[in-house]
Amino acid sequence: MPALTDRAWSPYFAGVLIGLLQIPAFLLLETALGTSSAYVTAGDSLAALLEPGIRGIDYAARHLSGAKNWWQVAVVVGIALGALLSARLSGTRRHGVSPVWARAIGSTGPARRFAMAFGAGFIMLLGARIADGCTSGHGISGMAQLAVGSIVAVCAMFAGGIATAFLFRRV
Amino acid sequence: MSVLTAILLGLAMGTVFGLALEKSRVFEPGVILGQMQLRNFTMLKIFLTAVVTGLLVLAVLNGLDLTRLFPKPALYGADLIGGALLGVGIALAGACPGTVAAQIGAGYRDAWYTLAGGLLGAVAFSYAEPVLNPLLLSGGPGRITLANVTGAPFWVLALGFASLLVAGLVALERWRPWRGELGAAADGLLPLPAPYPVVNAVAAE
């Protein structure tokens, strides 16, 4: 039986656990599991502090308030808390950057990796918002509903990801 | 539901999600990059298992009329362009929008920069949305699922699709047992094939 102090769980056990989260999502929230629109709610809320005019954009206004939007922000915050808890219980807390980056882009200082991560985050969320979903919303939830658009988006996502990853050195 | 209740529920669900992402090691950039280089299949195993579980859950809940489905509208141009950009971002970040948070929780420093870039990307999209909407984000066939396309009941298709995926997962596990893909430090980094480090060392000089 998997324990909280284990360093690793079977991917199948973890996958079932994630899939079961659809039960409260559909029955209590009347929505499917997702994470990327939380970036709109959080990002636009921060932007509105500097530039209140963003509230006049219909898309932003739709994401700034309401239980479902803030539920999703809470899910993303909860993910960080859950991972922190899990890593502390098993003694696998991480520091700095993953050693995979030294393999993928050559050993360089963290500054280059931080700049790369910032650009990556920008592209990732721009793409997720154009597609209207990410690995969670289109992937885990869209595929589970056999949504036609989600199946297309997931294929495009893996195609883009694989094409980019092969530009790196072999990890 | 009040916003406060929704937030508490979200925190509880997110904690379970984060625990599963950390324990399964799929939040590791090494696992995600390894998947995209078709060298480590941990991400696909978790992803497809979560899809199978979701299919079974929804086959029951929707089959018994306890919930309707909430599929996103099919917009093929946006799904293709946005999906491909998302994939490029995932490979460069070594993370998805959800696993960024797990990386922050686990302690990776660069994940804070991915998060900041992601927030800026989401704000940039909000400003661009009124322009993109008529070009990419409207029209299309609507919120269609394979059940709408084929006319078959959703639960029948969901059970059939889930069976196919389970067969695929069984084959995947036989080919690549999951314990063999963890890596010595549980970060998904697997030993490089023998001749490769030499080639790398030469290339680095």
Side-chain angles (χ1 to χ4, degrees), chain B residues 16-34:
Chain B
V16 174
F17 201 166
L19 204 71
L21 292 174
E22 204 278 340
K23 287 283 182 242
S24 64
R25 315 314 300 168
V26 71
F27 79 100
E28 288 281 359
V31 169
I32 294 173
L33 269 188

Side-chain angles (χ1 to χ4, degrees), chain A residues 21 23-31 33 67-68 70-76 78-79, chain B residues 1-17:
Chain A
L21 290 173
I23 300 175
F26 274 81
L27 293 185
L28 302 177
L29 272 306
E30 299 191 329
T31 190
L33 205 57
K68 275 181 209 174
W70 288 99
W71 164 78
Q72 205 180 96
V73 175
V75 168
V76 176
I79 289 174
Chain B
M1 183 180 290
S2 77
V3 175
L4 182 65
T5 317
I7 287 176
L8 292 175
L9 192 61
L11 284 174
M13 291 171 69
T15 303
V16 174
F17 201 166

Side-chain angles (χ1 to χ4, degrees), chain B residues 39-112:
Chain B
R39 231 168 104 63
N40 187 323
F41 289 83
T42 305
M43 178 181 170
L44 198 62
K45 289 170 187 168
I46 294 155
F47 173 63
L48 293 182
T49 307
V51 172
V52 168
T53 309
L55 281 165
L56 299 179
V57 161
L58 293 177
V60 173
L61 294 184
N62 184 253
L64 296 176
D65 249 343
L66 295 173
T67 183
R68 56 194 182 91
L69 298 178
F70 306 102
K72 294 171 188 292
L75 296 162
Y76 300 115
D79 289 331
L80 283 171
I81 295 170
L85 272 178
L86 168 66
V88 171
I90 288 172
L92 294 172
C96 324
T99 55
V100 171
Q103 291 179 353
I104 288 174
Y108 281 129
R109 288 276 304 279
D110 53 341
W112 288 100

Side-chain angles (χ1 to χ4, degrees), chain A:
Chain A
M1 183 62 200
L4 287 174
T5 48
D6 289 351
R7 203 170 60 147
W9 284 352
S10 146
Y12 309 107
F13 180 75
V16 168
L17 210 55
I18 294 168
L20 289 177
L21 290 173
Q22 301 291 6
I23 300 175
F26 274 81
L27 293 185
L28 302 177
L29 272 306
E30 299 191 329
T31 190
L33 205 57
T35 55
S36 72
S37 73
Y39 286 76
V40 181
T41 301
D44 287 359
S45 297
L46 291 173
L49 297 176
L50 300 172
E51 205 268 302
I54 193 170
R55 293 179 180 278
I57 301 170
D58 192 42
Y59 182 83
R62 280 205 309 275
H63 284 85
L64 280 169
S65 61
K68 275 181 209 174
N69 287 322
W70 288 99
W71 164 78
Q72 205 180 96
V73 175
V75 168
V76 176
V77 173
I79 289 174
L81 294 175
L84 171 67
L85 182 75
S86 175
R88 283 191 82 98
L89 289 172
S90 58
T92 50
R93 284 273 291 157
R94 299 308 197 193
H95 306 281
V97 304
S98 164
V100 76
W101 297 111
R103 280 195 190 185
I105 58 175
S107 39
T108 48
R112 187 172 156 196
R113 172 58 203 151
F114 290 162
M116 179 184 176
F118 186 84
F122 186 91
I123 295 169
M124 183 163 79
L125 262 298
L126 191 64
R129 292 333 300 159
I130 290 173
D132 190 24
C134 63
T135 328
S136 308
H138 269 314
I140 294 170
S141 299
M143 299 271 289
Q145 300 180 77
L146 303 173
V148 176
S150 295
I151 296 168
V152 173
V154 168
C155 292
M157 178 190 87
F158 273 104
I162 291 169
T164 308
F166 275 99
L167 299 176
F168 295 137
R169 291 189 208 170
R170 196 169 178 191
V171 301

Side-chain angles (χ1 to χ4, degrees), chain B residues 124-178:
Chain B
F125 176 80
S126 299
Y127 280 105
E129 202 271 347
V131 180
L132 291 176
N133 195 303
L135 301 173
L136 270 179
L137 310 174
S138 46
R143 299 177 182 272
I144 52 167
T145 68
L146 292 183
N148 305 126
V149 174
T150 60
F154 172 78
W155 68 269
V156 173
L157 290 176
L159 294 182
F161 196 54
S163 318
L164 282 178
L165 290 180
V166 168
L169 283 166
V170 169
L172 187 59
E173 179 62 20
R174 283 206 184 142
W175 180 50
R176 296 282 173 95
W178 69 268

